[in-house]
Amino acid sequence: MVVILAAFTLLPGLIAPHDPIALAMADRLKPPSLTHVFGTDEGGRDVFSRIVYGTRYSLGVAIAIVFASALFGVVYGAVSGMARQSIDNLMMRIVDLFFGFPALVLALAVAASIGRGLDSVALSLAIIWWPGYARLVRGEVLRLRERPHVEAARALGVSEMTILRRHIIPFVIQEVNVRVTTDIGYALVAVTALSFLGLGANSPTPEWGLLIRDSRPYFGSAWWYLVFPGTMIMLTATAFSLIGDALASRRAA
């Protein structure tokens, strides 16, 4: 599934049989067929082609959110874990402020204040996502900084920055990798949810959440318009969750 998604993202022009934007009113709301395997939408556009091109928007934004959040969270959590207790406490209280708000409500507020678009969705979700990584990394750093190999390096006069870079971060990254893989699926659901609520992509962008939003008036007469984008979201989120679970199991073993 992930290989298919990668192909959709990197080579949509070779996979999609039709233009995802061009209107073809003569083919409006046609059911799945050999010509249109996922049917067509209210503008006669091929749903399969729109899903293929939409992978760049939905999954691409989700991956960008998770990686940006992980990068900032790792740096923030590592600095907090290695800092003096007073600085550590201050940095963690900032993290607690973000956890004090319901995540989706905070994301909606930020996205609404910035304005509609995938950029605002990405920023709003990154803002609520990084504290989880910061708390995870900070806990791992606090645990690892007392390990014998770290104490030995410190006794030899190795600087704190070198200890962090060579003796702590490589172990922390293993834990972060598991969470990143799982979070991609969650971020995808969040991105499509905000687009469904009207805060994400603008028509006729072939974004999966927007496809579901636009399909609502036609569900009774054109079931394929809603079912196939929704199925892609479900399969993608499940695929990354299964990979994350597999990595976690291997890590535990």
Side-chain angles (χ1 to χ4, degrees), residues 1 5 51 58 184-186 188-193 196 207-212 226-240:
M1 185 64 194
L5 291 168
I51 288 175
S58 300
I184 289 175
Y186 295 135
L188 171 67
V189 174
V191 169
T192 54
F196 177 81
E207 196 275 329
W208 293 351
L210 185 59
L211 291 180
I212 294 177
L226 171 67
V227 168
F228 288 118
T231 301
M232 283 300 299
I233 294 171
M234 179 192 70
L235 291 177
T236 303
T238 301
F240 281 101

Side-chain angles (χ1 to χ4, degrees), residues 57-70:
Y57 298 97
S58 300
L59 183 58
V61 171
I63 291 174
I65 290 168
V66 172
F67 275 87
S69 302

Side-chain angles (χ1 to χ4, degrees), residues 201-226:
N202 298 302
S203 293
T205 303
E207 196 275 329
W208 293 351
L210 185 59
L211 291 180
I212 294 177
R213 176 184 172 88
D214 292 343
S215 70
R216 290 181 301 163
Y218 309 101
F219 179 66
S221 58
W223 57 266
W224 57 88
Y225 192 3
L226 171 67

